[in-house]
Amino acid sequence: MIQDTLHLKAPGNWINDPNGFIFYKGQYHLFYQHFPFAPRWGTMHWGHATSPDLVHWQHQGVALFPTKDYDQNGVFSGSALEVDGRMQLYYSAVRYRQINPEDIHCAGQDDFVTSQAMMISPDGKEFDNWNAKRQIIPVLTDRVIGDAKHTRDPKVWKDGDRYYMVLGSTDGAQGRLLLYRSEDSFQWEYAGQCASAEFGWMLECPDLFRLDGQYFLIGSPMGIPSGPKYHELAMYAPVDFDPASCRLQLRGPMTCLDWGMDFYAPQTTLDQQGRRVLVAWMRMPQPVPASADGRGVWNGMMCLPRVLSEEKGQLYARPHPNLEKAYCRPVQLGDVDNTRPYRLRATLAEGEQLDIGGYRIWVEQGCLHTDRSRVFAGCQGYRLQAATPALEQPRCRLDIFVEPNLVEIFVDEGRFVLSSVVYGLEKYLEGTTIESMYAADPESPRDRSES
Ligand code: FRU
């Protein structure tokens, strides 16, 4: 089985959203949307990977795949919960009403219906796709509640004695968040909804959680223009939520979780220490060729796990502390060639710049800017430049993680993050304000202890 260090990548072919992210029985489990037959989106399966520390990942193969009438065309995104020692996986089940005759992995005329389903695994290892699934919320027929086609991505949690679920949906024109609750985690009742222009025309992959007493909603609204090819970005907002009534209201407009163009469909869980950790899918316009380690042609990866915190109503995202342990071997400028992962700390003031093998980072008019036009060859029509909102201080502090297909920039201790997919970084690194660099030590013994 393929192993990944640092970034979890497609084991070959296609992956998209993170699913079922959970710390369960001593290890982290991260499932993902997976099309195992080609490096493009198609009939969705759940691929499965495990990690002792969120740094070293072991791919475990396909866990969930279509077997039922209701999920025959796809096991879409969802989440995981531990109940009485079992691993319960909640997902959206897709059934096409028409098949595209030339491509059975896509619906004809985009005509499909969606219900919500679950799978019970006794141990996070065995996934009985024939006997351990059940449908829990049938296809919606009441348009007042939500859409028969576009209602999906159950995120489930427990609070007190009750279980809660959020789903993304639409009334056809505007996005909605649906709330369900349950006494036993199997029988679900509709409990309310929240509609907002902030949700675009449809809200994908919602996640609702509390951080230091404040609830936050994250989600991926569709149809909010952000660039020529990607019309969607992942957003968040502080919300008022009352679990007793299931009333939810946004406290303000939604804002970006990451200011690059590729970060989408994030999902959070609690780590072993109770920290709120987030991972997201990094969209890639082109597949990467097969490599010597046995990985076939692949498309899609996860960002580094990020720890969320709340500061003055804003979400900060910092690299998980276990990553700091992994990037531990100091290196010199001359040793860096951008073909192996490393971490770089630098500061930048107005007019200063860093050039990571053709990926440029600079500060202009009080904002951090990036340009990947020299390392994105052949990806036509995608946004090449990105920028953060206004920085707080004239000199910003950068903590940057570089690997051949992804650059993640943590700005001012996680106040902003900007990540970019890249192709073909050159072998140099230039910048006058680089302070230190650390290589990732993939060979280091797996460290189970947490900081
Ligand atoms: C988001 C999404 C989800 C859906 C899944 C299908 O990227 O569209 O809403 O469940 O991908 O792969």
Side-chain angles (χ1 to χ4, degrees):
M1 281 291 175
I2 292 201
Q3 294 188 0
D4 275 325
T5 304
L6 308 169
H7 291 110
L8 180 68
K9 296 172 178 154
N13 295 315
W14 172 270
I15 72 170
N16 54 286
D17 316 352
N19 296 154
F21 190 22
I22 190 170
F23 181 73
Y24 172 83
K25 294 198 171 155
Q27 57 179 347
Y28 293 94
H29 293 253
L30 184 56
F31 300 82
Y32 47 80
Q33 291 283 279
H34 183 36
F35 184 55
F37 308 125
R40 49 149 268 194
W41 190 91
T43 304
M44 279 293 130
H45 298 47
W46 277 29
H48 181 203
T50 53
S51 171
D53 54 8
L54 296 170
V55 175
H56 302 86
W57 293 96
Q58 172 85 46
H59 284 272
Q60 303 289 1
V62 168
L64 271 60
F65 53 89
T67 44
K68 302 292 176 185
D69 180 57
Y70 52 82
D71 72 9
Q72 59 183 274
N73 298 109
V75 178
F76 272 28
S77 284
S79 54
L81 201 61
E82 180 173 346
V83 179
D84 297 333
R86 296 181 302 263
M87 180 191 272
Q88 298 192 172
L89 302 173
Y90 296 83
Y91 67 94
S92 293
V94 168
R95 192 169 67 77
Y96 293 164
R97 298 208 307 174
Q98 293 184 58
I99 299 276
N100 176 343
E102 293 306 321
D103 180 357
I104 61 159
H105 297 290
C106 290
Q109 311 291 327
D110 203 30
D111 188 5
F112 63 91
V113 289
T114 308
S115 59
Q116 314 310 320
M118 70 185 285
M119 137 89 71
I120 303 169
S121 165
D123 52 7
K125 293 180 189 150
E126 181 190 321
F127 303 96
D128 185 341
N129 281 271
W130 285 270
N131 300 306
K133 285 177 176 172
R134 61 172 93 172
Q135 197 181 37
I136 49 171
I137 303 176
V139 176
L140 294 180
T141 48
D142 184 351
R143 282 200 65 102
V144 175
I145 297 181
D147 196 59
K149 175 171 152 185
H150 292 298
T151 297
R152 57 179 175 263
D153 308 337
K155 179 76 200 298
V156 174
W157 72 100
K158 189 176 186 197
D159 188 7
D161 293 339
R162 279 195 160 159
Y163 299 89
Y164 296 85
M165 176 192 291
V166 280
L167 287 168
S169 191
T170 178
D171 65 5
Q174 197 177 71
R176 291 178 180 186
L177 178 79
L178 308 186
L179 289 131
Y180 281 74
R181 72 182 149 219
S182 168
E183 303 292 332
D184 60 4
S185 77
F186 305 113
Q187 311 259 348
W188 293 86
E189 61 163 349
Y190 171 69
Q193 64 174 264
C194 170
S196 169
E198 296 289 315
F199 298 160
W201 72 264
M202 149 87 201
L203 184 68
E204 293 191 306
C205 300
D207 193 348
L208 179 66
F209 54 84
R210 203 166 32 197
L211 257 189
D212 299 333
Q214 172 64 54
Y215 276 98
F216 286 90
L217 174 70
I218 66 179
S220 299
M222 290 211 288
I224 295 181
S226 62
K229 279 262 169 81
Y230 291 144
H231 291 288
E232 286 86 33
L233 292 176
M235 318 276 280
Y236 79 91
V239 296
D240 291 321
F241 174 62
D242 171 26
S245 61
C246 274
R247 280 226 188 90
L248 183 142
Q249 232 184 348
L250 297 189
R251 283 196 147 196
M254 294 189 91
T255 182
C256 285
L257 269 165
D258 185 300
W259 296 88
M261 292 290 128
D262 313 313
F263 174 100
Y264 197 66
Q267 183 172 103
T268 71
T269 193
L270 293 176
D271 76 358
Q272 200 175 356
Q273 309 294 317
R275 290 177 283 232
R276 181 62 58 179
V277 184
L278 173 144
V279 289
W281 167 39
M282 299 305 300
R283 295 178 289 201
M284 302 178 73
Q286 283 185 352
V288 178
S291 50
D293 63 0
R295 189 191 308 271
V297 54
W298 62 278
N299 189 322
M301 67 171 123
M302 301 297 162
C303 70
L304 291 175
R306 302 173 182 182
V307 175
L308 300 181
S309 61
E310 187 265 343
E311 287 174 42
K312 292 188 214 129
Q314 193 187 323
L315 278 186
Y316 277 52
R318 295 181 173 86
H320 193 277
N322 289 357
L323 293 162
E324 309 205 344
K325 284 193 196 166
Y327 285 87
C328 57
R329 201 156 41 83
V331 284
Q332 305 305 314
L333 199 57
D335 299 333
V336 168
D337 69 2
N338 295 323
T339 62
R340 292 171 67 84
Y342 66 97
R343 174 187 184 188
L344 141 72
R345 285 179 162 272
T347 61
L348 279 190
E350 191 77 21
E352 289 175 344
Q353 85 151 12
L354 262 173
D355 188 337
I356 303 176
Y359 179 79
R360 290 199 310 119
I361 308 171
W362 73 100
V363 177
E364 188 182 322
Q365 297 192 339
C367 301
L368 186 86
H369 292 258
T370 62
D371 183 349
R372 62 177 165 189
S373 45
R374 283 193 273 155
V375 287
F376 216 59
C379 309
Q380 256 140 46
Y382 289 85
R383 270 269 285 271
L384 301 171
Q385 299 192 336
T388 64
L391 302 165
E392 225 164 26
Q393 294 147 8
R395 176 164 284 278
C396 66
R397 296 179 307 280
L398 306 179
D399 193 1
I400 307 176
F401 292 79
V402 181
E403 71 111 298
N405 289 105
L406 184 57
V407 181
E408 292 180 72
I409 310 171
F410 293 83
V411 185
D412 289 338
E413 313 304 327
R415 181 158 183 256
F416 302 119
V417 191
L418 195 165
S419 317
S420 305
V421 165
V422 292
Y423 295 88
L425 288 176
E426 303 270 328
K427 293 199 168 187
Y428 68 89
L429 168 65
E430 280 172 13
T432 51
T433 57
I434 296 170
E435 286 164 359
S436 53
M437 280 166 304
Y438 300 91
D441 208 349
E443 311 312 329
S444 72
R446 293 179 178 209
D447 187 354
R448 281 167 189 274
S449 66
E450 298 252 332
S451 39

